[in-house]
Each structure stands twice: as structure tokens, then as C-alpha cells.
Amino acid sequence: KTLTGTPNGGTWSIVSGGGTINGTTYTPADINTNTTVVIRYTIAADGDCAATSDDVTFTVTPVCDVVADNTTSTASITEGQTKTLTGTPNGGTWSIVSGGGTINGTTYTPADINTNTTVVIRYTIPADGDCASTTDDVTFTVTPVCDVVADNTTSSARISETETKTLSGSPAGGTFSIVSGSGSINGNLYTPNNLISDENVVIRYTIAADGDCAATTDDVTFIVEALPTATAVKTDVTCYGLNDGTITITFEDNTSRTNIVFSLDGGNNYQAKVSDASESVTYSNLAPGTYDVWAKWGDNDYPIDLGSDLTISEPAEVVVDNTTATATINEGQTKTLTATP
């Protein structure tokens, strides 16, 4: 403000309100609210003439040119990353308008999400006197990290049709299903069907889709081995001593088997062997007794009780009884001879 006064030759001073005077130019102080300024013009005393002064009052209003500018990058990030927040002028504060997450100082960390999320970050310069607060927003996208991958940890070891298999997978919370093969699943327990031949079974573990994260699966394959409905057929089982303890076993099978071995003592000491189920095996010189016949084949670890106990017995004691009549005859007669057995 240019200061003017009459008569010439006076001096200028600031009574109140701050600022500076250079010659006849008044410059306000740096303010943030409306300020009343009083400027005095003084004519100095001259001899017997006393000094005189005159005041002028006016208002200085602040120039509110401090505007928030959020210079944070709008580039997308993943939920596993952070974003550095920047803004001018210094001294402002950060806040999350929408989208979740946390702010620590000037670092934004996303929330744990499962779908693309729009995040709005606000930079605020607070109110200062008569200067209102100002804000500026930046918007960017946070994408989920879909690292939840199904892992089917079920054993691939073979089982027989009479066994079950415990299914396992990670992370927890997935579901099991049969991709191919037969059987049923109850919770995490797989039960085979009755089979007539070996079967490949494929079990799938699925982690369901979650938001923008697609479902993932993992398969495990194992063999379910069919167990035959087999019997041992006795073709020669008679008294010991009459046929030297010989028995012949025929393997009657509902499937095709090779490399069959037999046990006569309940699944131990497999010895006699035939190449396939159409052949028979003969044991000789067996001691009298009852034999529990089992069989297994190939690399099968599941021996089968054939359910036909075979018996070789001692012969019954033979008692000779000559029943010929003791009646006297003469030389002109004959006698019929009789005996048992």
C-alpha cells in the first residue's frame, strides 16, 4: 500500500497489525487471518508548534495459496507390495478414503484381498486461521496375490478293493472328487467299489475360486487291485498212505492272474507256483492234517484265503476177520471161505 499524507515531510509508523514500511510503501506481514493494520503519519514538533499525527486503519486479508497436491503414483500394486505416498507442500496428513489397508508414515500397505480393489488415498493440508483446509485424492488399484494353490498330498500307493485310502491335501478347506475310476468319497476317506479287474483311480483336490482368484486343482493317481473270488478245488485228497499224501489244487478265478503261488499254512511259506489261473498244482508226501490254502500272484501284496481247508487223514485201522465156517466137512465136500474186509 502506498502511504500518502500532508503536509509533506512527515514520517510513517505502524501502530498495530504488523508489516514493514519502506519510504511510503507498506508491506504486510505473512498472515493467515484477516488483520487490522493502523498506520500513523506524524508531523514533528517545530519550535513552539507541537507534533501532530493522524492514523489510518485498513484490513489485510491472507492469501490462501497453500493447496494440497497429492503426487502419489497411480500405478497398480499387488496386495503383497507397499506404496510410498508423496505430497506437497510438506506437513500434510494421509488418510484412506476407500479400499482398506493401513498407512504408517508415508507407506501404504494393502489389506488381504481376493479381488481387484480400488483404493483412494487423500492428502490433507489442515486449515490455518482463515485459510480453509485443502485436500487432494489419488486413486490406484490393488490386485490380489492368488498364491493359494491346491496340493494333493494323498499317497499314490496301490490298495486292494477291500481297503480304504485316507485323502489329504493342502491348504485345508478344499474338496476331493473322483476324476476317473470308481468308488466313493466320504469326507477324506476313499472307498473302492467291488472290481473284476485292476483299476486306475484319479482323485482330484480342489481349492475353490475366491473373488478374482481362480480355482486350483491337483490330481493323484493310484491303482485299486481287484481281489479274485477264488477257491481251491480238491481233485485228489484221500487217505494218507494210499496216495502218499497227494493233493491237487486248481485256482478258480474270476479274473486273469499270472505267477500264482500257494501256501498251505494260512498265508505263510508260499512255495508251489503256476503260471496262470488255468493250471493246477500238486503237493505230494504231505503229512496228515488240515491245510489252510492261500494264494497270491505277481507282485501282489494282498494274499487271498481261498476258503477251502484241505484234509489228509490217516487210514482207518484194518481189522481182518476170517468168517469162514468152522463146521467139519468130509473130503468129498467143499467149503466156502469168507472174510472181512
Side-chain angles (χ1 to χ4, degrees), residues 57-287:
T57 299
F58 56 89
T59 300
V60 177
T61 59
V63 177
C64 298
D65 58 1
V66 180
V67 178
D69 182 17
N70 192 340
T71 57
T72 301
S73 167
T74 58
S76 295
I77 61 172
T78 70
E79 66 174 291
Q81 297 176 304
T82 59
K83 184 181 280 284
T84 299
L85 309 178
T86 59
T88 61
N90 294 330
T93 57
W94 299 99
S95 60
I96 298 172
V97 178
S98 62
T102 59
I103 295 175
N104 185 5
T106 59
T107 300
Y108 168 77
T109 301
D112 184 8
I113 59 175
N114 56 26
T115 189
N116 292 344
T117 301
T118 298
V119 176
V120 179
I121 300 295
R122 177 166 292 166
Y123 185 58
T124 300
I125 296 296
D128 186 9
D130 288 326
C131 294
S133 65
T134 62
T135 63
D136 189 26
D137 295 345
V138 161
T139 300
F140 55 89
T141 299
V142 178
T143 59
V145 177
C146 298
D147 58 0
V148 179
V149 178
D151 181 17
N152 193 339
T153 56
T154 301
S155 167
S156 60
R158 67 172 56 200
I159 61 173
S160 77
E161 65 177 276
T162 60
E163 296 179 298
T164 59
K165 183 181 281 282
T166 298
L167 309 178
S168 61
S170 66
T175 57
F176 291 100
S177 59
I178 299 173
V179 178
S180 62
S182 61
S184 61
I185 296 176
N186 185 6
N188 66 340
L189 188 67
Y190 167 77
T191 301
N193 283 348
N194 291 329
L195 304 177
I196 61 173
S197 62
D198 292 354
E199 183 177 68
N200 283 334
V201 175
V202 180
I203 299 294
R204 177 166 292 166
Y205 185 60
T206 300
I207 297 295
D210 187 8
D212 287 327
C213 294
T216 61
T217 64
D218 190 26
D219 295 345
V220 163
T221 301
F222 56 88
I223 294 174
V224 177
E225 192 165 62
L227 300 184
T229 54
T231 57
V233 178
K234 301 178 284 187
T235 59
D236 281 318
V237 181
T238 55
C239 291
Y240 185 74
L242 298 182
N243 66 344
D244 295 327
T246 298
I247 63 172
T248 299
I249 302 174
T250 300
F251 188 67
E252 294 184 339
D253 189 0
N254 67 327
T255 61
S256 176
R257 298 292 168 185
T258 59
N259 298 322
I260 306 167
V261 290
F262 292 94
S263 164
L264 297 183
D265 58 350
N268 299 306
N269 302 315
Y270 289 89
Q271 296 176 359
K273 178 178 180 180
V274 297
S275 61
D276 61 55
S278 65
E279 299 180 13
S280 299
V281 62
T282 299
Y283 288 86
S284 299
N285 300 315
L286 293 174

Side-chain angles (χ1 to χ4, degrees), residues 16-76:
S16 62
T20 60
I21 296 174
N22 184 5
T24 59
T25 300
Y26 168 77
T27 301
D30 185 8
I31 60 175
N32 57 24
T33 189
N34 292 343
T35 301
T36 299
V37 177
V38 179
I39 300 295
R40 177 167 293 165
Y41 184 59
T42 301
I43 297 296
D46 184 10
D48 288 331
C49 293
T52 61
S53 63
D54 188 24
D55 295 345
V56 165
T57 299
F58 56 89
T59 300
V60 177
T61 59
V63 177
C64 298
D65 58 1
V66 180
V67 178
D69 182 17
N70 192 340
T71 57
T72 301
S73 167
T74 58
S76 295

